[in-house]
Amino acid sequence: MERELAASGYDLLVGFDEVGRGALAGPVMVGAAAIATSDLAKRQVPEGVADSKLLTAHRREGMLDALCSWCTAYAVGQATNTEIDEWGISHALGIAALRALNNIEQHLAVVAPYRIGAILDGPNDYITKALDTFDAPLLAIPAEIITRVKADQQCASVATASVIAKVTRDRLMVSIAQGNPAYRPYHWAQNKGYGSAEHRAAIARYGATDLHRRSWHLV
């Protein structure tokens, strides 16, 4: 699919994938892995790249450097639990994705008439919907989004974005859990903020923290 987009005249291809949508605590993140079309034929996809959900944590960590080196540029955008409560998850995902894309555009110093084609995992283009809202960063070049269900299993750029985002968010949740004793009862180092039985039991016993998504059904 990346080769097809490159043949359509795009200068940059970006794969997007989200992580943390279903968590009860912590941010949602969207990874973005960008490949310059001029580099596509010269870059060998790292061995074993796959949707992050199909890889063990050890495998994701082990291939991270190779994936980051394969990309022309990469970024992970996030929206906080407070922003999720305020905006809803779909808009929060869109803003997180635009933050990632803005980071890449600034890093590469892109200017018009540069063309960016993007592949977004899933059926819903939440990125375009978030464009030009008051919360969104001002992009130099909006990306033309193509959605594809299970793109994280079919497109190397999306799978790369998936792994980068997953490792980034997991590391953050472990750091938070280990950095403040008040968060330790929720076992985020193990569940990464998702709704495990021990996490829900801790919420029922101790209440929600400042990092929980208060608008969600937590227990």
Side-chain angles (χ1 to χ4, degrees):
M1 188 170 183
E2 285 91 343
R3 287 192 291 268
E4 292 174 4
L5 288 175
S8 300
Y10 292 104
D11 300 291
L12 189 72
L13 307 177
V14 184
F16 286 100
D17 199 13
E18 67 194 50
V19 62
R21 175 195 281 264
L24 305 182
V28 68
M29 292 187 178
V30 179
I35 306 292
T37 56
S38 59
D39 293 341
L40 191 60
K42 298 178 288 185
R43 291 179 178 261
Q44 183 67 37
V45 176
E47 183 179 354
V49 64
D51 169 20
S52 65
K53 295 184 292 295
L54 303 179
L55 301 170
T56 64
H58 179 74
R59 182 64 177 143
R60 289 192 297 267
E61 289 280 353
M63 69 192 317
L64 182 65
D65 288 346
L67 293 179
C68 292
S69 297
W70 176 67
C71 300
T72 304
Y74 65 91
V76 178
Q78 68 172 293
T80 67
N81 59 297
T82 301
E83 290 173 327
I84 294 168
D85 286 337
E86 181 179 353
W87 300 334
I89 188 63
S90 183
H91 187 64
L93 284 166
I95 296 301
L98 293 175
R99 288 169 175 168
L101 181 58
N102 186 52
N103 185 301
I104 286 174
E105 291 188 359
Q106 290 184 359
H107 176 72
L108 298 178
V110 303
V111 294
Y114 208 80
R115 290 188 65 203
I116 301 175
I119 308 167
L120 173 61
D121 181 56
N124 177 33
D125 179 8
Y126 50 73
I127 300 177
T128 302
K129 291 176 183 177
L131 274 172
D132 300 323
T133 62
F134 72 92
D135 316 298
L138 183 61
L139 297 178
I141 308 289
E144 299 175 46
I145 306 294
I146 297 170
T147 59
R148 172 169 286 191
V149 175
K150 295 186 178 180
D152 51 4
Q153 299 177 30
Q154 301 168 2
C155 304
S157 62
V158 179
T160 297
S162 174
V163 173
I164 292 173
K166 177 64 173 169
V167 172
T168 300
R169 189 179 185 278
D170 282 359
R171 287 177 176 178
L172 174 65
M173 296 305 294
V174 171
S175 176
I176 290 171
Q178 295 176 345
N180 187 333
Y183 298 139
R184 289 177 188 166
Y186 302 92
H187 300 279
W188 292 340
Q190 289 76 41
N191 61 53
K192 311 304 188 294
Y194 286 90
S196 67
E198 61 187 3
H199 187 181
R200 292 185 184 275
I203 296 171
R205 181 174 181 180
Y206 301 107
T209 71
D210 57 336
L211 294 181
H212 279 100
R213 303 174 186 179
R214 300 298 185 103
S215 61
W216 291 43
H217 182 67
L218 298 177
V219 294

